[in-house]
């Protein structure tokens, strides 16, 4: 019977006491005493039923007498066991799904800047044969690869077309010669307006002098007449004043009449002088205005004459340039006419200009164009390799640059590689491609061989180099991924860290990089079993 059944409070306290762990059970003390008394290790191991850690944990296990408490404790143990199992499963699953990477350490390396080009071999001494445009090829006398001598007939053109083309060419030459003659004749500048303006100014200036002299004469004459009238008036007035008081009335009347007439004559002379002075002034001002007008007209005529002479000089210069162009066209036209005439005299047969091998041949019945009809090669002058480059690659090269030319054949230990020299770079075509001509100075070549040319632009050592496969890029620029150990809920794991870098140089293998957070001891991801990004957990493959 439970002694605490009557008192619930005492029973609860007793239950709590029973739940407290026992510090050291009796059997543990006996076991320890036995171990301390024994000197044989094997005997001590035989007497130890459990490892000491487990025994210690077991000794502190709680003593449960209530079934509910035992069930709760069991559930707790089962929960932690499930968490442990799930953790182990999660680690196993994560280990199976994360990327496997290979790493390298940044190290010093040599970056090789080069330009590679694929090409074909052709004879250096090659002649392109071009015929007048618009002729029909009626017969071809040679085959591809055939050796010919200078003067051997290559093909034959239709005679009727040759005659017609020659007639048109001669007519065109006649027009060009007439045009050249017109261009060489300079057109004189019309200076009649300038001459007329100059003469008009001279006449206006002469009129001024004439009118000034005439006005002076008229004013002087009027002044003389006024002086005479004034003298006559004075004499008449004096005569009238000299009459005695008892003079005959008729005599006095006559004297007064004479004095009045003298005064009238003096006034009239004064008015005439004023009119003469006014007319002389007006006439002189009008003549001077005519001089100013004539001077303005002369300035305008001089400007027009200067402009006309400048235009004539420009036209003369343009005509001279056009005449030179026409003269060159005439020379080309005469060469073409002479070529047509020679073909007619040779019954339409086109001869080989030099000895060589026929590389290409046209088909019978085709029309000639601006493109070459065929090519003759002369192997005695050596060989060329012709390769196509991009415009950007061609800008890195200069004429005379040395290169290595590799031929087909050979092997890893005995490559067929020879020296070459860049002799020509063509203008870019519509696709931006540039043809490079490389002089082959040695080697047993034949036309049509495929070759590969390598131009070394720069060789330089850098302290930090990584494989190109380790280089990544995003909107912020280039970066590397280095591995770093981090303590996570699943334990120590390898995590990728982003390292921004500046790419100093690169070739087909390596990239030289620079970064303040990169050292030669860092492990950089070079290969990965799947795409990776900064922050990813990875597994490093041990090499």
């Amino acid at each position: 019977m439970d002694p605490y059944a009557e008192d619930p409070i005492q029973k609860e306290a007793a239950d709590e006491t029973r739940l407290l762990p026992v510090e050291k059970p009796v059997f543990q003390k006996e076991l320890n005493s036995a171990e301390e008394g024994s000197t044989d290790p094997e005997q001590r191991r035989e007497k130890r039923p459990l490892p000491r850690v487990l025994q210690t944990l077991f000794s502190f296990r709680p003593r449960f007498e209530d079934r509910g408490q035992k069930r709760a404790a069991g559930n707790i143990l089962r929960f932690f066991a499930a968490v442990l199992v799930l953790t182990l499963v999660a680690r196993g699953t994560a280990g199976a799904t994360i990327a496997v990477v290979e790493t390298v350490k940044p190290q010093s390396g040599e970056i090789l800047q080069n330009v590679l080009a694929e090409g074909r071999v052709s004879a250096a001494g090659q002649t392109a044969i071009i015929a007048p445009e618009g002729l029909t090829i009626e017969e071809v006398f040679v085959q591809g690869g055939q050796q010919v001598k200078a003067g051997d007939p290559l093909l034959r053109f239709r005679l009727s077309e040759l005659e017609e083309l020659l007639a048109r060419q001669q007519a065109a030459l006649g027009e060009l010669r007439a045009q050249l003659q017109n261009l060489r004749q300079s057109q004189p500048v019309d200076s009649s307006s300038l001459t007329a303006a100059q003469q008009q100014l001279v006449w206006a200036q002469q009129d001024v002098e004439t009118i000034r002299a005439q006005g002076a004469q008229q004013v002087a004459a009027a002044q003389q007449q006024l002086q005479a009238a004034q003298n006559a008036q004075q004499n008449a007035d004096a005569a009238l004043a000299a009459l005695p008081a008892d003079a005959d009335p008729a005599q006095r009347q006559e004297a007064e009449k004479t004095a009045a007439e003298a005064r009238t004559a003096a006034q009239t002379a004064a008015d005439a002088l004023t009119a003469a002075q006014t007319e002389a002034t007006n006439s002189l001002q009008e003549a001077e205005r005519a001089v100013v007008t004539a001077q303005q007209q002369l300035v305008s005529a001089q400007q027009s004459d200067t402009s006309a002479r400048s235009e004539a000089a420009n036209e003369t210069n343009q005509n001279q340039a056009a005449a030179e162009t026409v003269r060159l066209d005439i020379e080309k036209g005469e060469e073409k006419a002479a070529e047509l005439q020679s073909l007619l005299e040779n019954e339409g047969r086109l001869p080989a200009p030099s000895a060589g091998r026929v590389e290409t041949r046209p088909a019978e019945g085709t029309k000639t164009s601006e493109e070459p009809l065929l090519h003759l090669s002369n192997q005695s002058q050596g060989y060329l390799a012709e390769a196509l480059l991009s415009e950007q690659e061609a800008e890195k090269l200069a004429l005379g640059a040395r290169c290595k030319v590799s031929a087909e054949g050979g092997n890893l230990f005995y490559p067929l590689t020879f020296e070459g020299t860049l002799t020509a770079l063509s203008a870019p075509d519509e696709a931006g491609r540039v043809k490079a001509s490389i002089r082959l100075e040695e080697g047993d070549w034949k036309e049509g061989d495929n070759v590969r040319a390598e131009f070394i632009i720069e060789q330089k050592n850098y302290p930090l180099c990584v494989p190109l496969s380790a280089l990544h890029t995003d909107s912020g620029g280039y970066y590397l991924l280095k591995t770093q150990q981090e303590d996570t809920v699943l334990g120590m794991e390898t995590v990728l860290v982003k390292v921004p870098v500046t790419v100093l140089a690169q070739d087909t293998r390596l990239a030289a990089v620079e970064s303040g957070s990169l050292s030669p001891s860092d492990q950089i991801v070079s290969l990965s079993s799947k795409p990776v990004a900064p922050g990813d957990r990875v597994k490093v493959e041990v090499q």
Side-chain angles (χ1 to χ4, degrees), residues 193-195 197-198 201 295-309:
S193 298
L194 177 60
T195 303
Q198 291 172 339
L201 178 60
Q295 289 174 339
Q296 293 174 349
Q297 291 176 348
L298 177 60
V299 171
S300 178
Q302 288 173 339
Q303 292 175 349
S304 299
D305 184 74
T306 301
S307 178
R309 290 183 183 277

Side-chain angles (χ1 to χ4, degrees), residues 9-270:
I9 297 176
Q10 293 180 357
K11 181 179 181 181
E12 183 178 356
D15 291 341
E16 291 179 354
T17 302
R18 285 195 297 269
L19 289 175
L20 293 176
V22 178
E23 292 185 355
K24 286 189 177 181
V26 175
F27 76 89
Q28 182 63 40
K29 293 181 180 179
E30 295 175 353
L31 180 62
N32 292 342
S33 300
E35 289 178 354
E36 293 175 356
S38 175
T39 58
D40 187 1
E42 296 296 333
Q43 182 179 1
R44 293 178 62 184
R45 279 194 293 269
E46 289 177 359
K47 292 181 178 182
R48 187 183 304 162
L50 291 174
R52 180 172 295 179
V53 174
L54 295 179
Q55 291 178 7
T56 303
L57 293 175
F58 183 78
S59 66
F60 285 98
R61 74 186 188 280
R63 300 289 191 264
F64 297 107
E65 295 183 4
D66 184 84
R67 290 184 177 181
Q69 293 176 345
K70 291 182 179 180
R71 187 179 301 107
N75 290 337
I76 293 174
L77 291 176
R78 282 191 292 272
F79 170 75
F80 283 107
V83 170
L84 177 62
V85 171
L86 291 176
T87 301
L88 295 176
V89 172
R91 289 183 63 89
T93 303
T97 57
I98 63 176
V100 179
V101 299
E102 294 182 11
T103 60
V104 295
K105 292 182 178 181
Q107 56 186 350
S108 64
E110 184 179 68
I111 300 296
L112 179 67
Q113 297 292 334
N114 61 355
V115 173
L116 300 177
E118 305 287 339
R120 296 175 67 87
V121 174
S122 62
Q126 192 172 76
T127 303
I129 299 176
I130 302 176
E133 188 176 357
L135 297 176
T136 302
I137 301 173
E138 287 196 331
E139 188 175 4
V140 180
F141 304 118
V142 294
Q143 300 295 328
Q146 178 180 340
Q147 293 287 340
V148 296
K149 302 185 298 295
D152 287 350
L154 301 175
L155 47 85
R156 182 173 58 83
F157 299 114
R158 186 171 297 170
L159 290 178
S160 59
E161 293 178 348
L162 274 172
E163 293 172 350
E164 182 181 355
L165 186 58
L166 177 59
R168 291 202 304 268
Q169 186 64 30
Q170 290 174 342
L173 281 173
E175 294 178 358
L176 289 174
R177 293 188 181 101
Q179 184 179 355
L180 179 62
Q181 184 176 2
N182 292 333
L183 291 172
R184 286 177 173 175
Q185 292 178 353
S186 59
Q187 300 296 328
V189 177
D190 184 10
S191 301
S192 59
S193 298
L194 177 60
T195 303
Q198 291 172 339
Q199 185 62 49
Q200 188 67 32
L201 178 60
V202 171
W203 287 340
Q205 291 172 341
Q206 291 175 351
D207 289 344
V208 168
E209 298 301 326
T210 301
I211 291 172
R212 181 181 287 111
Q214 290 177 352
Q217 291 176 0
Q218 291 174 358
V219 170
Q223 287 176 343
Q224 291 177 358
Q225 292 176 0
L226 176 61
Q227 187 64 41
Q230 287 176 347
N231 292 336
Q233 179 185 354
Q234 291 176 358
N235 292 334
D237 290 341
L240 179 60
L243 288 176
D246 57 350
D248 182 37
Q251 186 180 1
R252 182 177 290 281
Q253 185 177 4
E254 182 66 24
E256 290 177 353
K257 179 180 178 183
T258 300
E261 290 177 353
R263 285 193 296 272
T264 301
Q267 185 61 43
T268 301

